[in-house]
Amino acid sequence: MQTDDATAPSVRDLNRGCYDSPHSGVGMEFDPLELANPGRRVVLHECGFLRSLDWWMFPNTVSPFWRLYYNSVAGHQVVFPGHTVALEPGHVVLIPEGNSFDSRGDTPVNHFWLTFSLCFAVRRPGPIVVPADREAIAEIGRISAAFDGIGRGDRLLAYHGSQALLHRLVVEIREHLWPGERSIALARAVHEMRRRFAEPIHIPDIAAYAGLSQRSLSDHFQKEYHCSPGHFLNKLRIGEAAGMLVRTSASLDTIAQATGFADRFYLSRVFKRMTGKTPASYRKQHARTPTEA
């Protein structure tokens, strides 16, 4: 296994796969979850580049986040039920949240990936293969050049380059994204959650505001966001809590109160479950590298 530092742990030792939490352990970490701010349509969780990845074996993956892969050298594959997509220099592969797949590769390749969320309801199609045009390849090259080690490098360049790449691709694949029929009631529920996430609101209140039963609200969320209403609300709250940990020196008690959690202990439990880190470790890691706006 080749790494950028002979004394560092191997990628295999560090890599958590980025499948339960939004961060893999071998990439640059940014926002851990979707944000409450409705102005942010694309939220970047992680950007990664490995110059000679020769072990990429993760079976039975169901990622709760969108994934983007690009390899400048052929040799690795993403295997879905019924078909296989090769990672090759001629195209970018996007995998929407909730798709089941295997990652396969044991030959050295330059491996680039992004983990992100789209903050609007979309269809959940299978993998989307997008031809890699000259501009996309050049952008990926600039982002990759920002790395000077495993998960290390110029965060500002990597962040803004990744956001630019994602916004270009979202426009390009928009025909794959939009649901055929949008739910006005669900839109009302989501708007109310984003507006009142800091309050001690309850899911029955949201359902009543949207004019739905709790069961119907849950069905709408499962269909369009692939999660329960409670999980969606916690994602908003934890996303905001993560931002406060980085942007401010507020105590956990203050952050819990500002993000709708009953107390710091409940905030800490949910934060660890959804991000893979404690609030303290997240703040320490990102203290000198605030989330880029």
Side-chain angles (χ1 to χ4, degrees), residues 237-258:
R237 287 171 165 169
I238 292 301
E240 183 63 22
M244 291 186 67
L245 286 167
V246 172
R247 297 190 307 268
T248 76
S249 59
S251 68
L252 279 186
D253 288 316
T254 298
I255 294 174
Q257 184 177 17

Side-chain angles (χ1 to χ4, degrees), residues 150-225:
I150 298 175
R152 304 193 309 268
D154 188 332
R155 285 176 55 84
L156 195 64
L157 191 158
Y159 179 86
H160 288 292
S162 298
Q163 286 283 12
L165 176 64
L166 287 174
H167 280 88
R168 286 186 67 245
L169 290 173
V170 166
V171 170
E172 192 164 343
I173 66 172
R174 55 191 171 186
E175 70 272 13
H176 295 273
L177 299 178
W178 314 126
E181 182 179 345
R182 304 303 300 275
S183 166
I184 295 176
L186 178 62
R188 282 172 55 82
V190 169
H191 175 78
E192 188 71 351
M193 284 185 176
R194 292 188 187 280
R195 187 176 71 87
R196 297 179 54 201
F197 73 92
E199 303 175 20
I201 57 175
H202 304 286
I203 299 305
D205 299 334
I206 297 297
Y209 178 83
L212 298 170
S213 68
Q214 283 185 250
R215 176 63 180 272
S216 181
L217 179 69
S218 180
D219 289 344
H220 276 71
F221 266 94
Q222 289 294 341
K223 178 181 178 181
E224 296 202 24
Y225 286 99

Side-chain angles (χ1 to χ4, degrees), residues 132-143:
D133 61 25
R134 186 175 302 175
E135 290 185 21
I137 293 174
E139 189 67 74
I140 291 172
R142 286 190 290 269
I143 300 166

Side-chain angles (χ1 to χ4, degrees), residues 104-165:
R104 292 183 186 171
D106 58 7
T107 56
V109 299
N110 290 341
H111 182 66
F112 175 84
W113 75 92
L114 300 176
T115 309
F116 62 100
S117 289
L118 300 180
C119 298
F120 47 86
V122 299
R123 288 200 304 262
R124 188 174 65 181
I128 304 170
V129 179
V130 184
D133 61 25
R134 186 175 302 175
E135 290 185 21
I137 293 174
E139 189 67 74
I140 291 172
R142 286 190 290 269
I143 300 166
S144 301
F147 283 80
D148 58 17
I150 298 175
R152 304 193 309 268
D154 188 332
R155 285 176 55 84
L156 195 64
L157 191 158
Y159 179 86
H160 288 292
S162 298
Q163 286 283 12
L165 176 64

